[in-house]
Amino acid sequence: IGDKGVQVLDPFTGTGTFITRLLQSGIIKKENLKYKYTEDIHANEIILLACYIAGINIESVYSDLVKNEKYKPFNGIVLTDSFQLYEQDKDLIANLLPDNSQRRTNQKNKDIRIIMGNPPYSSGQTSADDNAANIKYSNLDKRIEETYAANSKATNKNQLYDSYIRAFRWASDRIGNEGIIGFVSNCG
């Protein structure tokens, strides 16, 4: 994980806890830290405020670790819905946030080998009053249908489209045939 060229992604970064802990862990050698920070570490967040907080947290930890170096912004963070990344070529806010859109495009072209973090657990709307309806992701849901649903003996396969299960399908497809997925379990 600490070697140059090993791409790491936290697709549901929240406030950046997993990335900050990775930087603080000592797993990344001092001589590789700047390269990893600028080239190999990526984080996605869908909520604007959390995305800003994550960026600040990651930058702050990095600055503490490299004390005497000039401030370097963390350009590995993207304001996006990770599930939406492969649903369409251009994100809906590309015109409003062109730098973010470019980081999104760059990240999609990276050979991600490690995906870690805390995926969403929402199973969506349970009643009409919830206002928490599941979002449809045509490509991702098709992959679930072709894999998990096709191989399941369950009669009710609706739970396979829960965001937690989607996170595993998305991550598995993202790393392809080689890589590591490390997600926090919801004990389900």
Side-chain angles (χ1 to χ4, degrees):
I1 197 169
D3 291 346
K4 288 182 179 180
V6 176
Q7 303 287 319
V8 179
L9 170 63
D10 181 350
F12 318 103
T13 203
T15 57
T17 301
F18 283 85
I19 300 297
T20 59
R21 296 303 180 259
L22 172 62
L23 293 172
Q24 293 170 329
S25 70
I27 292 172
I28 302 171
K29 295 177 188 163
K30 283 275 192 204
E31 60 268 18
N32 292 348
L33 190 59
K34 183 176 182 179
Y35 183 87
K36 294 295 287 184
Y37 177 80
T38 59
E39 302 295 328
D40 288 350
I41 297 176
H42 314 279
N44 297 343
E45 179 51 47
I46 190 172
I47 298 170
L48 181 61
L49 181 57
C51 188
Y52 281 123
I53 292 170
I56 291 166
N57 287 341
I58 294 166
E59 290 172 2
S60 175
V61 165
Y62 177 75
S63 291
D64 285 348
L65 292 170
V66 296
K67 294 184 185 357
N68 296 328
E69 288 191 26
K70 183 179 170 192
Y71 167 76
K72 186 104 179 122
F74 179 59
N75 290 319
I77 195 155
V78 179
L79 176 64
T80 192
D81 177 353
S82 290
F83 294 152
Q84 194 69 35
L85 279 173
Y86 297 95
E87 297 293 323
Q88 60 200 36
D89 287 333
K90 197 172 185 182
D91 61 303
L92 299 174
I93 58 172
N95 294 335
L96 297 171
L97 300 169
D99 290 345
N100 186 74
S101 185
Q102 186 59 53
R103 287 193 307 269
R104 181 182 186 269
T105 300
N106 292 344
Q107 184 192 105
K108 284 176 69 173
N109 293 325
K110 299 284 185 176
D111 185 22
I112 303 292
R113 289 288 141 226
I114 299 173
I115 296 178
M116 64 177 194
N118 189 6
Y121 301 118
S122 170
S123 59
Q125 191 163 327
T126 56
S127 77
D129 297 327
D130 269 1
N131 198 19
N134 282 336
I135 297 171
K136 299 291 182 198
Y137 300 100
S138 302
N139 295 334
L140 180 56
D141 291 348
K142 185 173 190 264
R143 287 289 296 139
I144 291 171
E145 181 183 334
E146 295 168 347
T147 56
Y148 300 158
N151 294 309
S152 174
K153 295 184 186 337
T155 53
N156 182 357
K157 298 177 183 177
N158 291 339
Q159 291 299 329
L160 293 176
Y161 300 92
D162 167 275
S163 58
Y164 188 69
I165 302 300
R166 280 178 170 159
F168 279 94
R169 178 73 272 157
W170 181 90
S172 297
D173 288 343
R174 182 63 178 94
I175 63 169
N177 293 326
E178 229 178 296
I180 298 168
I181 300 168
F183 283 151
V184 171
S185 169
N186 67 350
C187 299

